[in-house]
Amino acid sequence: MKTKFDVRIAGMWLLTTAVFILLSPKWLFAPAGWFAPALLLWFVSSVTFWRGVVLGWLALLVSGLIAGYGVLPFPGIFFVIMVTVISAVKIIPYVISNWLVSKFGVNWLRIFIFPCALVASEYIDSFGGGGTWGSLAYSQFENHHLMQLTSLFGIWSVTFLLGWFASLVNWMVTHRFAWQKIKANVILFSTVILTALLYGGVKTNNYFSQPGELVRISGITANNVELVKAMYEDYFDRKVDIDPDRLSQTSPELHDLQEGFIRFIENPFDKNFNTVHKKINAYQDSLLAIADKEAKAGAKLITFSEGLFLTTKSEENVLIEKGRKVAEQNKVYLALSVASLLPGKIETGSKYMENKIVLLNPEGKTEMTFFKNKPVPVVEGSIPGNGEVPVVKTPFGKVALSICYDADFPRLMRKASIEGADMMILPSGDWREVSPYHGQMAVVRAIENGFSLFRMVSGATSVATDPDGRILGSHDFYSKGERILTVYVPVRRIVTLYSLVGDVLAWISVGVIFLLCLVVLLRKIPMFSDKLSPLKKDYLY
């Protein structure tokens, strides 16, 4: 019997690991979002406590190493360390849920312990450097109607449903699918799911959509790896034969090119870099020429992908002056995405760049300068912003501006909604392995907060959406021709419940788990044990 049991457990461990691999941004498989947590929850509850902790963590570690390869922008050992830590964090809700359920016995209300633990864990984790990256909720992006729930309680509402389903499946298995014992929970869950889908269908129905002013927006991107390549070739005096469009964040060739980039940052006016400055100026002029063309074609606002205008701090004013002329001559808003380098020795933790947006108005004046609030941990040495998301009043509505990774943090994006933003301009930079996943995360922010989104990105697929998250236009960075996306975007805000109440569901989940843990701990104290022991029988059944 012990051999059979071990074989069964081993098989379940392998199946659980395989299904979690399918949650990778590289091949996001929506059904895995429902069944992966159900399998892991069953596995952890089927073995001894510490065996569940260790083997559950190993399942997440192995799947994370496979699913995260090429996705997480960390080299070598740092990648392994990051996945190890992430896996340890992600096993927590399964362990806590299993522990609490064992303390409160078998009862129908225990079914809500795991979804609360899952939401609480994801929410607390979102305060860290990764934001909501890896949240189970994003696995359901293609279910457009279900994702409308995020307009009510954020991504936590979808995570809660996924956790509820996992708990329900385990409840059904525990009771061997005996209908009389499981029907109440099955009917309740089914009713909630159908209501959620109905809400999403009604919300996105054109009959209920409010008309809004359409504004023509153009986005421009390009591959500035060519400039980094020029830095390497000039400094080391040797040619490099690579195709910049085939590089990824983990490509060895890119790491080699970074050596030239580092030398340029440390001393950009070294005599070896004379031709590099000429190429940078020519590159800037080519981008502004495209912007000029788009403005003459009728664009009212022109944006660029993240950090597209590479410059040194001392030469930044020259770039901005060239941008002013384009904005003033064409009476257009021009959002320059600037990577302004700060010369000096690069050491661990050095801040060597200003990753920002300089917004020029139709008079050619600087409307505002925005610094990226959330530089990517470990790999991005840019000076962080002040934690605010600016909203600018324009003749066609209120426009918010932010940059790429900022949109992984729902609390940050909600600030724009509170200020009444009608639209979010989000210059970004990605790579193949995270496309379209990272863009989809940003679209969810649009649904949560009820604003339109224009996300021009290098290395991935650019998108423009309405406030319901419907895709209005997209552009594949690797397609042939000019890298331009032009879309008529509705400038209208939908006041969402989430924009008003924020992360209330997440806070309730945190509170529930905290109180349950507190009750369990207080039971160990003699003066509370008699008073709290009836809780198991009288209140949780």
Side-chain angles (χ1 to χ4, degrees), residues 214-218 294 297-302 486-489:
L214 297 177
V215 58
R216 178 169 172 151
I217 299 178
S218 290
E294 289 301 307
K300 300 300 181 184
L301 189 154
I302 299 172
T486 299
V487 180
Y488 284 91
V489 180

Side-chain angles (χ1 to χ4, degrees), residues 38-341:
L39 288 168
L40 184 55
L41 186 62
W42 181 91
F43 179 84
V44 170
S45 63
S46 298
V47 296
T48 60
F49 180 82
W50 286 110
R51 198 178 183 188
V53 172
V54 175
L55 293 180
W57 168 72
L58 283 174
L60 293 174
L61 176 61
V62 172
S63 61
L65 289 172
I66 297 172
Y69 182 75
V71 173
L72 300 179
F74 306 112
I77 189 63
F78 291 104
F79 167 68
V80 176
I81 293 172
M82 290 300 297
V83 175
T84 300
V85 173
I86 291 170
S87 303
V89 170
K90 288 191 177 298
I91 194 62
I92 291 174
Y94 299 87
V95 174
I96 287 181
S97 174
N98 187 40
W99 178 65
L100 287 174
V101 167
S102 69
K103 298 299 181 182
F104 290 109
V106 180
N107 51 75
W108 73 272
L109 275 178
R110 78 170 189 173
I111 206 169
F112 294 106
I113 292 179
F114 177 66
C116 285
L118 189 62
V119 169
S121 177
E122 283 196 359
Y123 181 62
I124 293 172
D125 190 37
S126 74
F127 285 87
T132 56
W133 185 276
S135 169
L136 282 172
Y138 297 124
S139 68
Q140 303 307 302
F141 179 82
E142 295 297 337
N143 190 334
H144 192 57
H145 289 171
L146 182 64
M147 292 307 293
Q148 298 306 311
L149 271 184
T150 61
S151 68
L152 299 178
F153 299 108
I155 59 169
W156 322 118
S157 52
V158 178
T159 296
F160 187 90
L161 286 180
L162 295 173
W164 187 0
F165 177 78
S167 197
L168 176 63
V169 169
N170 279 266
W171 173 265
M172 293 165 65
V173 171
T174 299
H175 290 87
R176 300 181 182 278
F177 298 93
W179 179 245
Q180 290 302 317
K181 293 183 178 180
I182 67 173
K183 67 177 181 180
N185 274 305
V186 171
I187 291 173
L188 178 60
F189 179 79
S190 301
T191 301
V192 171
I193 283 289
L194 290 174
T195 302
L197 294 174
L198 179 62
Y199 166 76
V202 171
K203 182 175 180 290
T204 57
N205 192 293
N206 289 330
Y207 180 80
F208 299 100
S209 296
Q210 302 174 359
E213 180 184 354
L214 297 177
V215 58
R216 178 169 172 151
I217 299 178
S218 290
I220 300 167
T221 186
N223 198 333
N224 55 17
V225 173
E226 288 287 358
L227 297 179
V228 179
K229 178 184 174 184
M231 295 170 190
Y232 180 88
E233 292 179 339
D234 279 9
Y235 188 83
F236 293 103
D237 194 25
R238 56 176 178 263
K239 295 293 182 181
V240 180
D241 185 19
I242 61 169
D243 181 355
D245 287 344
R246 292 187 176 276
L247 295 177
S248 70
Q249 287 296 106
T250 56
S251 296
E253 299 91 341
L254 185 59
H255 294 158
D256 291 340
L257 294 183
Q258 292 292 343
E259 289 298 318
F261 187 44
I262 290 172
R263 299 297 191 279
F264 184 80
I265 295 172
E266 292 183 336
N267 187 9
F269 299 103
D270 186 293
K271 62 181 181 180
N272 291 320
F273 294 125
N274 288 336
T275 61
V276 171
H277 288 277
K278 294 177 181 178
K279 290 180 180 179
I280 289 176
N281 287 329
Y283 178 73
Q284 294 174 353
D285 292 342
S286 67
L287 294 174
L288 291 172
I290 297 173
D292 184 71
K293 183 185 71 172
E294 289 301 307
K296 287 179 168 55
K300 300 300 181 184
L301 189 154
I302 299 172
T303 181
F304 303 83
S305 60
E306 180 182 7
L308 201 59
F309 286 95
L310 188 66
T311 184
T312 60
K313 185 64 178 177
S314 61
E315 297 173 311
E316 181 183 305
N317 288 336
V318 177
L319 164 64
I320 294 175
E321 187 59 35
K322 290 190 287 189
R324 289 189 201 284
K325 293 178 181 178
V326 174
E328 184 177 13
Q329 291 172 3
N330 295 284
K331 302 302 178 185
V332 65
Y333 282 91
L334 192 65
L336 298 177
S337 298
V338 180
S340 189
L341 303 178

